[in-house]
């Protein structure tokens, strides 16, 4: 499998070392162990199934076999720690491009780390960073991405049934070659953006693909709930929301819920 992916790699992505595991608790957890054991930047782990896939805010990421791609990349960025947020942003754009190139399907980005297709979440990204506090620099970052290719045979768990979706319809065939190409193109696109992360060249596309722009949302920031309409995403990748009192606030973190008919 790695050999097939490797054949499609270009540029900096060619320097990756891809490990394939059938089942793992979480590719991010495994990659973190490897980071602590001094594995180099560009170590990639790809799993067929995760038994304890993790999402943002301590949530789990449902990762059954034969329905998705679960992948983590070990990075050792030489950028300022504040730039770590842009790893997620760049990865969202890279994954969107890869999906479009390989499948012809156009996904949207739900700030800050989800991809949506036909109003359903088909992909989540989790970036975890470890700091060197004395040097005020990043020791490493693990970029994890999970893509739902097909609805699992038993369906999604009930708590996800109104949110989660898959890139391919049940009747669609997903050729193995497309899966491999998706991974390869994601790595190609991601590493080409990563090489010049500080230029933030991907931000315009991130804005263009925004799923939330123009939508009415409820934002939770800590224990505060705010309601408003999303106006845009700014140059710092913050969400600009016109609140019900008419002011526009910029959010750099938080959880967004869509008001009906969306979730
Ligand atoms: C989210 O939806 O909040 C982010 C989900 C990220 C899931 C991916 S799957 C590969 C990697 N390993 C994990 O445990 N999580 C990420």
């Amino acid at each position: 499998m790695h050999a097939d992916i490797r054949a499609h790699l270009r540029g900096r992505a060619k320097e990756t070392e891809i490990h394939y595991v059938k089942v793992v608790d979480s590719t991010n957890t495994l990659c973190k162990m490897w980071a602590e054991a001094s594995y180099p930047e560009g170590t990639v782990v790809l799993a067929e199934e995760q038994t304890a896939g993790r999402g943002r805010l301590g949530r789990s990421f449902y990762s059954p076999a034969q329905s998705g791609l679960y992948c983590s990349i070990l990075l050792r960025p030489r950028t300022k720690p504040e730039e770590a947020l842009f790893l997620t942003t760049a990865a969202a754009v890279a994954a969107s491009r890869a999906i479009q190139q390989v499948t012809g399907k156009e996904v949207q980005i739900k700030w800050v780390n989800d991809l949506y297709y036909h109003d359903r979440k088909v992909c989540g990204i989790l970036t975890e960073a470890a700091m060197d506090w004395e040097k005020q620099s990043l020791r490493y970052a693990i970029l994890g991405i999970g893509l739902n290719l097909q609805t699992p045979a038993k369906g999604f768990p009930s708590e996800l049934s109104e949110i989660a979706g898959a890139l391919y319809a049940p009747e669609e065939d997903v050729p193995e070659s497309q899966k491999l190409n998706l991974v390869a193109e994601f790595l190609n696109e991601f590493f080409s953006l990563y090489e010049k992360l500080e230029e933030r060249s991907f931000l315009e596309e991130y804005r263009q693909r925004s799923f939330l722009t123009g939508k009415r949302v409820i934002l939770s920031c800590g224990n505060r709930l705010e309601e408003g309409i999303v106006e845009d995403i700014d140059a710092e990748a913050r969400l600009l929301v016109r609140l019900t009192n008419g002011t526009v606030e910029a959010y750099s973190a938080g959880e967004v819920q869509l008001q009906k008919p969306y979730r």
Side-chain angles (χ1 to χ4, degrees):
M1 179 165 194
H2 339 17
D4 299 327
I5 295 175
R6 182 144 296 286
H8 290 93
L9 296 179
R10 301 185 297 274
R12 174 98 181 260
K14 269 188 154 169
E15 293 163 32
T16 56
E17 183 69 48
I18 303 174
H19 301 259
Y20 173 76
V21 291
K22 210 168 163 52
V23 188
V24 68
D25 52 357
S26 152
T27 54
N28 264 33
T29 306
L30 180 58
C31 225
K32 218 185 261 185
M33 279 167 50
W34 288 349
E36 294 291 347
S38 302
Y39 278 47
E41 169 161 275
T43 301
V44 175
V45 55
L46 186 62
E48 205 166 296
E49 178 182 355
Q50 296 184 119
T51 53
R54 296 187 288 107
R56 272 176 80 228
L57 308 169
R59 298 195 183 122
S60 59
F61 186 81
Y62 187 56
S63 320
Q66 282 155 3
S67 52
L69 290 173
Y70 317 108
C71 173
S72 298
I73 310 174
L74 165 55
L75 301 167
R76 298 191 180 276
R78 280 164 288 277
T79 51
K80 297 189 207 102
E82 311 86 84
E83 297 291 311
L85 163 72
F86 293 100
L87 294 173
T88 304
T89 322
V93 170
S96 307
R97 287 182 185 170
I99 291 168
Q100 195 148 0
Q101 280 163 31
V102 175
T103 69
K105 297 175 200 277
E106 193 168 342
V107 293
Q108 289 182 291
I109 301 171
K110 177 174 176 265
W111 183 90
V112 57
N113 67 323
D114 292 335
L115 300 189
Y116 269 55
Y117 183 60
H118 291 163
D119 294 337
R120 294 215 164 227
K121 173 170 170 172
V122 296
C123 175
I125 297 165
L126 174 68
T127 306
E128 298 178 290
M131 277 287 289
D132 181 329
W133 293 106
E134 270 177 29
K135 292 187 189 145
Q136 283 293 303
S137 62
L138 284 173
R139 287 174 56 225
Y140 61 82
I142 309 293
L143 180 94
I145 179 162
L147 176 62
N148 302 334
L149 294 174
Q150 284 194 304
T151 302
K154 293 184 193 150
F156 288 104
S158 57
E159 68 276 14
L160 298 179
S161 63
E162 287 195 42
I163 300 167
L167 201 55
Y168 294 86
E171 66 279 7
E172 269 181 295
D173 201 33
V174 191
E176 198 57 27
S177 61
Q178 262 192 26
K179 289 190 201 168
L180 304 178
N181 271 335
L182 274 167
V183 177
E185 285 310 323
F186 169 67
L187 293 174
N188 288 333
E189 292 291 342
F190 176 74
F191 277 99
S192 89
L193 297 177
Y194 177 66
E195 277 184 313
K196 43 185 172 55
L197 194 71
E198 280 167 31
E199 290 176 21
R200 302 183 189 175
S201 57
F202 42 84
L203 262 182
E204 186 50 32
E205 188 170 341
Y206 187 89
R207 287 179 60 243
Q208 296 296 328
R209 288 186 181 269
S210 169
F211 177 67
L212 293 178
T213 304
K215 295 203 168 99
R216 183 170 287 280
V217 297
I218 299 174
L219 264 142
S220 30
C221 315
N223 47 16
R224 259 183 331 132
L225 279 186
E226 303 275 15
E227 199 179 318
I229 294 181
V230 175
E231 294 221 320
D232 206 348
I233 289 161
D234 72 7
E236 301 301 315
R238 294 178 303 182
L239 194 69
L240 301 178
V241 184
R242 185 170 295 277
L243 302 178
T244 40
N245 66 9
T247 60
V248 176
E249 289 278 337
Y251 295 89
S252 50
E255 178 63 1
V256 180
Q257 259 193 310
L258 280 151
Q259 294 211 355
K260 282 190 171 151
Y262 300 107
R263 291 290 307 266

